[in-house]
Amino acid sequence: MTKHESPSYKLFLAFNYALLTAISLLCIFPLIHVLAISFSSSSAASANLVKFWPVGFTTKAYEYVLNKPEFMTALGVSLKRVMLGVVINMVLTILTAYPLARDPEKFRQRNAYAWYFFITILFNTGLIPWYMTIKTLGLTDSLWALVLYGAVPVFNVILLMNFFRQLPKEIEESAFLDGAGHMTNMWRIFVPLSAPSIATLTLFCIVGHWNSWFDGLILMNFPQHYPLQSYLQTVVVNIDTSLKSTRDIELLSIVNDRTSRAAQIFLASFPIIAVYPFLQRFFLQGMTLGSVKG
Amino acid sequence: MNKLLNRGSVPLHLMLIPAVALVFIFNYIPLFGIVIAFEKYIPARGVFHSKWVGFQNFTYLIHLPGTFQTLVNTLYISLMKIIAFIVVPVIFALLLNEVRNKLFKRSVQTIVYLPHFMSWIILSGILIDILSPSDGIVNMLLKSFGLKPIFFLGDVHWFPYVIVSSDLWKEFGFNTILYLAALTAINPTLYEAAKMDGAGRWRQTFHVTLPGIVPVIVLLATLSMGNVLNAGFDQVFNLYSPAVYQSGDILDTFIYRLGMLDAQYGVATAVGLFKSVVSFIFIAGSYALARKFADYRVF
């Protein structure tokens, strides 16, 4: 392939490598810059000396954030939310995708059920009716509010359903002949056969729950119930100085606002970066999971 | 035999009960809340006892000076995003497809997909820092070239473009995935045949590669029409400020402020209903088109 290339194509290739390198660097530099600030000394950060490498390396900002009770409380809420939310999401995704993957000839109501779920993708009732419903149910300030309203991730159900439908029919036919029921067929045959897809969807759910912030912000009345991203919204984006205690103001002379914000940004994205290698291995497959045909 | 099959569907119904119930509670019950759009809604009285006002909330909105501008801003930002998210990922996928070095290709992919997985809270925190007019690294760079600093997030003229380009930063890489998948699915014998016919690299790109991904481009472009009123709430909410409402306030942020901050529930629900109905038409229409012309089936 590479042998008889025209000079103009060789020139294009060189240009292409340079361009792709430049775009990648442009994508990653903002992250590296803020990471460098988080490890820099307070004075270097406020004097704008930090570029892409820490100046006056220190972990003071991280020590400050990790000793902040509000941060740790919010982290705890987030961890609980992710664990509970992902289990609920995945159990319901599998339980729902399996019947929907049946042949409509054999499961007559299959199409009616499919439309029942699909309509929720087509029509969104809007913020206020959604908020009022959760409020009326008395779920505000409860962890359940954050995990129940999105308990059935319809889009994931469709992806898994399409994957289930591609599994060879012969396997389940022989399972049924051996006396297996639908439950056995689902857990013992379908789930193990689609392990990579289920792993992909699980990772999507983890990322989704971890990154959610707006629900926490409006469904929780007390900041001590905020998950981490909602808490960060109030300290990193919507900087509200009235929330600072005197202890904070004293400490801020040592760990300036900018370095502590940077440290919180990175602590909050750490779990994402930690699961990213796994995500990457699976999501290529997950994205194309029978979603686009033709 | 038929009887046996019918009996066999009972466990299937049972499996669906939890999901049907939860979707009913959280997606179908709120439909009744749409009534709020036609009421002078007072939470203490509830949906059933608040005063019915007909279309008064809607006429109020039409006469409110900000409503029309908000709609214009939403369309301006969302249409720019729709176009950018067709053009940029396609070009990037084509360029990446020419790369033969596996390690290089993989590294580029790893980097450009990463921002997709980060929340707008994290990315906004980063953007606010780097775009700050006094301390941000972008403005330090502008100053070092002798240019005046720009308050990207506080300037009415810059704001919509900052929104579109920062959304591109987050999502363009991830949006190349389906195109890259389509590119690898092109039959290699087509390239061999083109070469036999004397086609060079450029002709191969135009006559084999591009036609190979046109169906995917058309499909994704059609489906993206459903986003015509989605300018990106998560992003705009975390980056805007009263200084840029004129160009940056979108329907979703408008609904949020009316409902959650001003407690004008009836009016906020009316805006939301308008958005839901228009979006429904576009989403359903785009699926119908995709089904008719690309044989795309969701289920």
Side-chain angles (χ1 to χ4, degrees):
Chain A
M1 283 283 266
T2 45
K3 270 178 193 168
H4 309 287
E5 304 294 6
S6 67
S8 75
Y9 186 71
K10 276 184 185 156
L11 191 69
F12 162 77
L13 275 185
F15 165 78
N16 193 21
Y17 276 90
L19 183 70
L20 292 173
T21 308
I23 292 173
S24 309
L25 290 178
L26 207 62
C27 277
I28 200 81
F29 269 164
L31 302 166
I32 293 176
H33 173 63
V34 179
L35 184 62
I37 288 177
S38 73
F39 281 111
S40 294
S41 73
S42 171
S43 53
S46 31
N48 295 326
L49 296 175
V50 187
K51 299 284 182 292
F52 303 108
W53 198 253
V55 177
F57 182 89
T58 172
T59 53
K60 280 253 164 55
Y62 287 90
E63 285 164 32
Y64 163 69
V65 172
L66 290 173
N67 283 313
K68 232 166 116 177
E70 297 91 344
F71 186 89
M72 297 313 282
T73 310
L75 178 64
V77 174
S78 270
L79 291 176
K80 271 191 264 174
R81 180 206 175 138
V82 169
M83 282 188 278
L84 186 63
V86 171
V87 169
I88 293 176
N89 282 162
M90 289 318 295
V91 169
L92 287 171
T93 302
I94 295 167
L95 270 181
T96 314
Y98 179 85
L100 293 183
R102 299 283 96 196
D103 186 348
E105 304 253 308
K106 290 181 187 149
F107 181 38
R108 294 271 171 77
Q109 298 79 5
R110 183 259 172 201
N111 287 342
Y113 279 118
W115 275 101
Y116 176 82
F117 291 109
F118 184 57
I119 282 171
T120 65
I121 292 182
L122 298 180
F123 191 82
N124 186 312
T125 42
L127 174 68
I128 308 296
W130 170 79
Y131 172 73
M132 289 300 169
T133 306
I134 292 174
K135 210 177 154 188
T136 312
L137 290 168
L139 287 173
T140 36
D141 275 308
S142 147
L143 192 64
W144 292 104
L146 304 177
V147 295
L148 284 185
Y149 77 84
V152 188
V154 174
F155 198 74
N156 290 1
V157 170
I158 292 173
L159 291 180
L160 189 63
M161 172 194 82
N162 283 332
F163 190 82
F164 279 167
R165 287 209 286 194
Q166 289 165 4
L167 295 175
K169 289 275 172 286
E170 294 76 12
I171 303 177
E172 71 166 37
E173 275 162 17
S174 64
F176 285 139
L177 277 181
D178 290 344
H182 281 302
M183 269 311 228
T184 317
N185 185 36
M186 179 173 69
W187 290 116
R188 308 282 295 275
I189 314 268
F190 275 47
V191 170
L193 280 177
S194 35
S197 322
I198 290 173
T200 312
L201 297 179
T202 308
L203 287 165
F204 282 162
C205 290
I206 294 175
V207 173
H209 275 291
W210 180 264
N211 280 344
S212 263
W213 57 275
F214 184 66
D215 46 14
L217 204 63
I218 66 166
L219 299 176
M220 302 293 130
N221 294 314
F222 301 101
Q224 65 266 32
H225 295 148
Y226 280 177
L228 192 57
Q229 301 280 336
S230 310
Y231 164 74
L232 273 191
Q233 208 276 336
T234 62
V235 291
V236 175
V237 179
N238 207 348
I239 305 149
D240 184 356
T241 41
S242 67
L243 283 175
K244 287 197 184 96
S245 61
T246 42
R247 183 184 147 268
D248 284 345
I249 292 164
E250 267 168 45
L251 273 166
L252 281 178
S253 49
I254 317 166
V255 232
N256 114 6
D257 223 8
R258 195 177 182 189
T259 56
S260 80
R261 272 205 303 263
Q264 296 186 71
I265 285 173
F266 275 92
L267 285 173
S269 46
F270 177 74
I272 300 289
I273 295 167
V275 298
Y276 186 58
F278 301 99
L279 268 174
Q280 221 201 346
R281 212 168 90 203
F282 290 125
F283 69 59
L284 280 177
Q285 187 184 356
M287 278 291 289
T288 46
L289 263 184
S291 55
V292 172
K293 289 174 223 157
Chain B
M1 190 67 189
N2 209 2
K3 224 179 203 173
L4 191 82
L5 287 175
N6 274 335
R7 195 174 58 205
S9 71
V10 172
L12 301 175
H13 289 289
L14 291 176
M15 284 175 195
L16 285 161
I17 288 175
V20 167
L22 282 160
V23 165
F24 184 77
I25 295 172
F26 291 100
N27 295 88
Y28 282 84
I29 289 182
L31 286 173
F32 297 102
I34 288 173
V35 178
I36 297 172
F38 305 96
E39 288 180 340
K40 185 162 178 49
Y41 181 73
I42 294 162
R45 292 196 188 157
V47 176
F48 299 107
H49 301 285
S50 290
K51 196 180 150 203
W52 181 267
V53 294
F55 282 90
Q56 198 180 303
N57 291 327
F58 292 90
T59 47
Y60 169 77
L61 278 164
I62 291 168
H63 293 108
L64 202 69
T67 314
F68 184 69
Q69 189 58 46
T70 307
L71 182 61
V72 171
N73 296 341
T74 308
L75 288 172
Y76 188 60
I77 294 174
S78 68
L79 289 176
M80 273 198 292
K81 281 187 180 180
I82 288 174
I83 294 167
F85 277 109
I86 298 166
V87 177
V88 176
V90 168
I91 293 176
F92 195 80
L94 288 175
L95 293 178
L96 205 56
N97 192 46
E98 296 296 323
V99 171
R100 295 279 161 265
N101 184 328
K102 285 253 167 65
L103 181 69
F104 181 81
K105 192 171 177 178
R106 197 148 262 262
S107 312
V108 170
Q109 284 173 298
T110 303
I111 292 171
V112 299
Y113 297 162
L114 180 62
H116 167 81
F117 296 100
M118 302 194 152
S119 73
W120 270 116
I121 301 298
I122 303 288
L123 296 181
S124 301
I126 292 173
L127 283 169
I128 290 167
D129 187 283
I130 65 168
L131 296 178
S132 153
S134 51
D135 302 320
I137 193 165
V138 175
N139 277 310
M140 303 302 273
L141 193 71
L142 288 181
K143 276 186 225 166
S144 72
F145 284 120
L147 297 164
K148 272 193 187 158
I150 298 166
F151 191 4
F152 290 99
L153 294 171
D155 186 311
V156 172
H157 299 289
W158 280 94
F159 190 78
Y161 308 108
V162 175
I163 289 297
V164 175
S165 43
S166 57
D167 198 27
L168 267 177
W169 170 45
K170 186 178 193 290
E171 304 290 351
F172 88 92
F174 204 71
N175 276 276
T176 59
I177 291 178
L178 289 177
Y179 295 116
L180 287 171
L183 284 169
T184 50
I186 294 174
N187 190 342
T189 56
L190 290 176
Y191 288 105
E192 295 301 322
K195 251 187 263 175
M196 293 287 231
D197 293 343
R201 280 286 183 177
W202 303 112
R203 291 186 139 236
Q204 287 175 39
T205 301
F206 279 102
H207 295 288
V208 181
T209 315
L210 260 181
I213 59 167
V214 159
V216 182
I217 299 175
V218 173
L219 177 64
L220 294 183
T222 311
L223 292 178
S224 71
M225 288 314 295
N227 281 325
V228 74
L229 290 185
N230 276 336
F233 173 77
D234 282 22
Q235 181 193 14
V236 173
F237 184 78
N238 288 308
L239 292 172
Y240 85 154
S241 58
V244 292
Y245 281 176
Q246 198 196 327
S247 68
D249 194 18
I250 57 169
L251 285 177
D252 287 317
T253 49
F254 188 51
I255 294 168
Y256 170 80
R257 288 201 318 279
L258 280 171
M260 309 314 288
L261 301 183
D262 304 342
Q264 299 199 53
Y265 298 110
V267 182
T269 311
V271 184
L273 180 59
F274 166 77
K275 193 198 158 197
S276 300
V277 169
V278 175
S279 296
F280 171 76
I281 294 167
F282 275 92
I283 296 171
S286 69
Y287 276 118
L289 278 176
R291 188 174 187 131
K292 190 165 178 195
F293 294 108
D295 200 29
Y296 174 74
R297 273 168 179 56
V298 187
F299 61 85

